[in-house]
């Protein structure tokens, strides 16, 4: 089997696996819609007092909320990606089996996560977004090119998200119990990706810092392309640079970690 | 004289349940304390995870002076009350959302054969003392709000404060129990109850004027979360309730809490009776 086909099969497996959790998916759709509802009303109140806050109008702010709910599970911003399983395999030592496979560890798990993300985006993301678009004033660009540019930013967002979560998982080689690191990563993810509040609303220097961090690639960057707020090419360069940097760092840590496995005699 | 016997039986069962709960919770606390550093870190994590919500509100107020007509100390008051009463409920029985997993993998059967009420066992299952982080965070915000608010305190308002926190905690507990009962049927749909528990407490952190009338009506008359803090807190703040309910409704939370418990208990019994073991 060619390498490309192998990873495609792993991704398809990841997709199918999450597709079997039907009740959980329905529950996720319900919960994401409920949280979106609460958030939308608080944003409407906020933009009522300050129209054009952060350069968004009300409809754009509402669209931003539902995009966030659509991306939350897909990009595992609140946790729940393949990193949990990877960490568990490192802790139990099952990772040794993965290392014996004639496949690259990082690419293998990236493929599995991509399949998972694809399902979560379709299974849990689309319905809350449609609900939002139906019942609230939303901003939907009419230019298909804008939509295409937006869709181009989504895989890049996934690469950055996975890059961060792969590093989190690798920490388990040293800490064994990576729960603390995973929890910190979730907190940083929520706050710095703009799930709690759009990053362009953050005041002053804090805003500049969070917008430069990798997490802004997850939600803020694709949202700004869709809302006509950012130049797609510049955004791609930003996301791509972070993706390359994080994945390369992950590879470095991975090789250091696998040498550790040999030392431990796994 | 059938009634006193029935009452005594119910009382015995309650004492028995509380005893089982205490023993199981104490066991989990001992096991938590075996890894003290981990306990300190996860408690801090729980504290900061919730603090971020409040940081987001503070960031909003760096750009505006009022949200839904409420100033920051007023919203902090709502936030503190909601977070504290929910935090206490979450600490007490927040692990009940594990029930779905137990139904799925069949380990619920172990609890059924033990000579202790199932509800008490499920409620104390994996008792997580680290959730004190959430309670602490809520209480700190509440303290800050009380220091910054200009309220004309009357004895009645002072009395309402602890009543509100306790009733709110009990109402949230009832939601947890009802949610767990739903998992007998839905098994791996435990996330649905997050919408009502975590979602509910998030909702109550903002003033009702922010939300649409239908939503406020829903959480007043259908799922009575408004009695956790909105109704009594708006009385303390001297604000009218958005649905024009009479002022005395601010004092009904204990009553609502009792009714919620009775309903949740009934739903729980129905759920437990409908349980079919996966049979392993």
């Amino acid at each position: 089997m060619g390498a490309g086909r192998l990873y495609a099969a792993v991704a398809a497996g990841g997709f199918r696996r999450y597709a079997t959790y039907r009740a959980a998916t329905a529950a996720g759709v319900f919960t994401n819609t409920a949280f979106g509802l609460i958030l939308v009303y608080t944003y409407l109140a906020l933009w009522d007092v300050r129209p054009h806050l952060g350069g968004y109008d009300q409809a754009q702010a509402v669209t931003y909320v539902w995009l966030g709910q659509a991306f939350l599970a897909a990009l595992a911003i609140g946790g729940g990606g393949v990193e949990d399983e990877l960490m568990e395999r490192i802790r139990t030592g099952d990772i040794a089996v993965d290392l014996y496979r004639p496949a690259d560890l990082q690419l293998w798990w990236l493929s599995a996560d991509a399949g998972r993300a694809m399902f979560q985006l379709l299974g849990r993301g689309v319905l809350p977004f449609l609900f939002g678009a139906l019942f609230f004033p939303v901003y939907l660009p009419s230019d298909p090119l804008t939509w295409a540019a937006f869709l181009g930013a989504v895989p890049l967002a996934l690469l950055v998200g996975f890059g961060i979560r792969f590093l989190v998982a690798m920490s388990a080689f040293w800490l064994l119990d990576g729960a603390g690191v995973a929890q910190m990563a979730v907190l940083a993810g929520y706050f710095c990706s703009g799930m709690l509040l759009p990053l362009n609303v953050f005041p002053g220097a804090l805003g500049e810092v969070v917008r430069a961090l990798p997490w802004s690639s997850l939600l803020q960057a694709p949202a700004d392309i869709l809302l006509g707020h950012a130049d797609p090419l510049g955004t791609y360069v930003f996301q791509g640079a972070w993706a390359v940097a994080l994945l390369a760092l992950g590879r470095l840590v991975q090789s250091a970690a696998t040498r550790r496995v040999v030392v431990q005699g796994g | 004289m059938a009634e006193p016997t029935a009452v005594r039986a119910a009382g015995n069962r309650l004492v028995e349940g509380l005893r089982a709960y205490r023993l199981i919770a104490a066991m989990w606390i001992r096991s938590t304390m075996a890894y003290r550093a981990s306990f300190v870190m996860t408690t801090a994590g729980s504290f900061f995870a919730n603090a971020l919500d409040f940081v987001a509100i503070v960031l909003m107020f760096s750009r505006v002076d009022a949200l839904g007509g409420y100033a920051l100390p007023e919203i902090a008051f709502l936030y503190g009350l909601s977070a504290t009463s929910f935090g206490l409920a979450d600490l007490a029985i927040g692990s009940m959302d594990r029930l779905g997993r137990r139904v799925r993998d069949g380990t619920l059967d172990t609890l059924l054969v033990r000579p202790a009420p199932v509800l008490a066992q499920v409620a104390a299952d994996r008792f997580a003392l680290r959730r004190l982080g959430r309670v602490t965070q809520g209480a700190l915000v509440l303290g800050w709000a009380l220091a910054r608010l200009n309220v004309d305190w009357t004895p009645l308002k002072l009395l309402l404060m602890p009543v509100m926190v306790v009733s709110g905690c009990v109402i949230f507990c009832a939601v947890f129990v009802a949610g767990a009962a739903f998992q007998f049927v839905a098994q791996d749909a435990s996330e649905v109850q997050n919408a009502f528990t975590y979602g509910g407490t998030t909702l109550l952190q903002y003033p009702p004027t922010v939300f649409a009338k239908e939503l406020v009506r829903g959480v007043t008359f259908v799922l009575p979360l408004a009695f956790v803090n909105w109704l009594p807190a708006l009385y303390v703040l001297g604000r009218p309730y958005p649905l024009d309910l009479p002022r005395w409704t601010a004092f009904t939370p204990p009553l609502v809490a009792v009714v919620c418990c009775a309903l949740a208990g009934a739903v729980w019994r129905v759920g437990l009776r409908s349980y079919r073991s996966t049979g392993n």
Side-chain angles (χ1 to χ4, degrees):
Chain A
M1 192 155 41
R5 276 179 52 202
L6 168 70
Y7 296 117
V10 172
F15 185 97
R16 265 202 308 278
R17 188 169 151 208
Y18 281 85
T20 54
Y21 303 135
R22 290 212 197 119
T25 303
V29 166
F30 179 81
T31 307
N32 282 32
T33 309
F35 272 95
L37 210 57
I38 297 168
L39 218 50
V40 154
Y41 282 115
T42 61
Y43 281 23
L44 284 174
L46 192 61
W47 263 266
D48 216 34
V49 188
R50 279 286 302 271
H52 303 293
L53 179 61
Y56 289 170
D57 62 21
Q58 253 187 4
Q60 287 174 318
V62 169
T63 312
Y64 183 92
V65 168
W66 295 108
L67 272 183
Q69 293 305 314
F71 282 173
L72 179 61
L75 300 181
I77 295 172
V82 292
E83 70 281 4
D84 293 340
E85 196 189 341
L86 177 53
M87 256 190 289
E88 184 60 18
R89 289 184 76 81
I90 294 171
R91 200 181 61 78
T92 56
D94 288 346
I95 192 74
V97 180
D98 297 4
L99 290 171
Y100 267 120
R101 284 199 197 105
D104 181 74
L105 186 77
Q106 194 186 31
L107 265 178
W108 174 283
W109 287 94
L110 173 61
S111 312
D113 198 50
R116 179 205 60 82
M118 209 40 214
F119 175 76
Q120 300 283 39
L121 196 60
L122 297 173
R124 291 180 54 151
V126 171
L127 279 179
F129 191 84
L130 285 180
F131 173 88
L134 271 176
F135 292 98
F136 292 91
V138 286
Y139 173 93
L140 297 176
S142 50
D143 185 3
L145 276 178
T146 312
W147 281 96
F150 162 72
L151 288 179
V154 176
L156 285 169
L158 177 70
L159 280 179
V160 175
F162 176 78
I164 297 170
R165 289 179 286 116
F166 186 73
L167 282 170
V168 169
M170 286 295 113
S171 76
F173 271 111
W174 285 269
L175 302 171
L176 291 181
D177 179 27
V181 179
Q183 190 183 29
M184 289 301 144
V186 166
L187 292 189
Y190 260 106
F191 193 71
C192 301
S193 70
M195 274 307 295
L196 292 173
L197 200 63
L199 300 181
N200 47 6
V201 173
F202 281 43
L206 177 64
E208 275 164 42
V209 171
V210 286
R211 283 191 292 273
L213 294 176
W215 287 280
S216 71
S217 306
L218 301 185
L219 170 57
Q220 191 70 47
D224 274 342
I225 292 181
L226 187 74
L227 301 175
H229 244 257
D231 157 53
L233 282 183
T235 309
Y236 291 169
V237 170
F238 177 81
Q239 288 179 301
W242 269 121
V244 169
L246 288 164
L247 291 172
L249 184 60
R251 190 147 281 271
L252 216 70
V253 176
Q254 176 192 324
S255 63
T258 45
R259 273 198 300 277
R260 242 182 100 79
V261 173
V262 179
V263 173
Q264 281 188 339
Chain B
M1 296 294 278
E3 212 172 41
T5 325
V7 170
R8 206 174 308 134
N12 283 342
R13 207 153 164 72
L14 185 68
V15 171
E16 196 190 332
L18 286 176
R19 197 181 105 84
Y21 177 89
R22 213 181 52 236
L23 287 174
I24 300 169
M27 181 195 83
W28 282 109
I29 292 176
R30 270 200 307 281
S31 100
T32 308
M33 286 307 162
Y35 302 96
R36 230 166 259 261
S38 174
F39 168 71
V40 172
M41 279 192 286
T42 50
T43 308
S46 148
F47 180 93
F48 287 116
N50 292 292
L52 276 189
D53 283 344
F54 191 65
V55 169
I57 294 177
V58 172
L59 284 179
M60 288 182 181
F61 274 89
S62 74
R63 297 310 197 86
V64 297
D65 296 326
L67 204 61
Y70 283 64
L72 182 57
E74 291 175 299
I75 289 191
F77 183 62
L78 291 175
Y79 179 102
L81 284 167
S82 163
T84 307
S85 41
F86 177 72
L88 289 171
D90 189 42
L91 173 67
I93 65 170
S95 306
M96 287 202 77
D97 59 2
R98 291 179 55 84
L99 180 77
R101 193 184 305 180
R102 279 191 176 273
V103 171
R104 219 162 46 236
D105 64 18
T107 52
L108 185 69
D109 295 5
T110 340
L111 306 189
L112 292 175
V113 295
R114 285 195 198 133
V118 181
L119 181 59
Q121 293 183 61
V122 176
D125 195 15
R126 294 201 168 245
F127 181 85
L129 197 61
R130 63 164 186 278
R131 289 181 172 142
L132 274 175
R134 182 191 286 275
V135 182
T136 314
Q137 191 263 341
L140 280 177
V141 173
L142 182 59
W144 180 82
L146 288 174
R148 296 290 296 269
L149 278 175
N150 289 314
V151 172
D152 296 325
W153 289 102
T154 62
L156 212 51
K157 285 183 179 178
L158 281 173
L159 178 73
L160 202 50
M161 290 291 298
V163 169
M164 194 173 358
V165 172
V166 174
S167 319
C169 167
V170 175
I171 291 173
F172 271 126
C173 282
V175 176
F176 270 116
V177 172
F182 174 67
Q183 290 179 52
F184 280 116
V185 191
Q187 298 190 16
D188 58 346
S190 68
E191 223 187 315
V192 164
Q193 86 179 66
N194 292 354
F196 298 106
T197 51
Y198 295 96
T201 181
T202 308
L203 178 96
L204 297 175
Q205 288 165 2
Y206 295 92
T209 46
V210 162
F211 301 102
K213 272 255 156 57
E214 302 81 58
L215 193 60
V216 176
R217 248 183 229 125
V219 293
T220 306
F221 302 115
V222 184
L223 185 74
L225 292 177
F227 293 85
V228 170
N229 71 344
W230 277 352
L231 279 163
L234 297 195
Y235 173 83
V236 171
L237 293 175
R239 296 266 193 159
Y241 193 68
L243 298 181
D244 297 325
L245 287 177
R247 273 164 65 89
W248 56 259
T249 49
F251 300 93
T252 52
L255 189 71
V256 171
V258 170
V259 173
C260 284
C261 279
L263 288 174
V267 172
W268 171 262
R269 276 190 294 277
V270 171
L272 189 59
R273 219 170 291 143
S274 76
Y275 172 66
R276 296 273 175 276
S277 171
T278 47
N280 46 337

